[in-house]
Amino acid sequence: MRPDAQIVPLRGNVDTRLRKAMTEEYGAIVLAAAGLARLGLADRVTEYLPFDVMLPARAGALAVQCRSDDRLARDLIAPLHDPAAEAAVTAERAFLAAVGGGCCAPVGAYAESDDVDAAVLRLTALVASPDGSQIVRVSGEGACHEPAALGERLAATALDAGAAMLEACR
């Protein structure tokens, strides 16, 4: 989106990164808005990047776990289960696994269900070259009850479109 921008690594905790953003060394920095909000720093966000500019990291979700034999704990946490979130994370993880992505691979994915009955799941994903000069972006819809099939299908489409050649960490 900005071939004129020079992308450089930025180390340090959030406060350090925000301080560096105020120097002339950096024209801008990109941080996760959710992380800033959790730290009470949402007022520091100056722009939210739309998904057509940058997809979020794939398959992020919070989980609550308990022993399978602890019926009381299972009953207490059951209302926390979100089937739509489970479907989204499953589709994103299936895409990542099928393209062979890992933690150093430039892969993004975002799945969501936008209809009232959550029957349809939409997934947008991409695989990029390490320098960002080449990107294969795919999107599609599938049944919420078959999220892995959607992720795998779009991964096959991305691989057919050249994504296999873009990944540095295969």
Side-chain angles (χ1 to χ4, degrees):
M1 296 305 292
R2 290 288 309 268
D4 60 315
Q6 180 184 7
I7 309 299
V8 296
L10 180 60
R11 303 278 182 235
N13 61 30
V14 172
D15 288 332
T16 300
R17 293 175 187 204
L18 289 172
R19 253 191 326 276
K20 288 180 178 180
M22 303 306 290
T23 68
E24 291 184 19
E25 182 180 355
Y26 296 92
I29 64 171
V30 177
L31 297 172
L36 292 173
R38 279 192 302 275
L39 294 171
L41 300 170
D43 61 321
R44 301 292 300 270
V45 176
T46 58
E47 183 175 350
Y48 292 91
L49 299 177
F51 292 147
D52 64 331
V53 172
M54 179 178 286
L55 286 175
R58 66 270 175 207
L62 297 176
V64 178
Q65 188 172 324
C66 71
R67 290 190 324 267
S68 62
D69 63 346
D70 189 336
R71 186 73 177 154
L72 177 60
R74 289 178 59 173
D75 289 345
L76 287 171
I77 65 174
L80 300 176
H81 181 254
D82 181 348
E86 179 184 15
V89 169
T90 299
E92 293 169 10
R93 288 181 177 166
F95 179 84
L96 176 65
V99 297
C103 61
C104 65
V107 178
Y110 181 72
E112 68 179 339
S113 175
D114 62 359
D115 58 11
V116 177
D117 63 359
V120 177
L121 186 65
R122 178 176 293 112
L123 175 63
T124 301
L126 66 83
V127 178
S129 60
D131 66 359
S133 64
Q134 296 176 301
I135 297 173
V136 173
R137 181 183 283 261
V138 293
S139 61
E141 295 180 346
C144 271
H145 67 276
E146 295 181 333
L150 173 60
E152 291 164 0
R153 178 171 48 84
L154 287 184
T157 301
L159 292 169
D160 288 346
M165 296 185 307
L166 300 181
E167 248 194 275
C169 303
R170 281 184 82 75

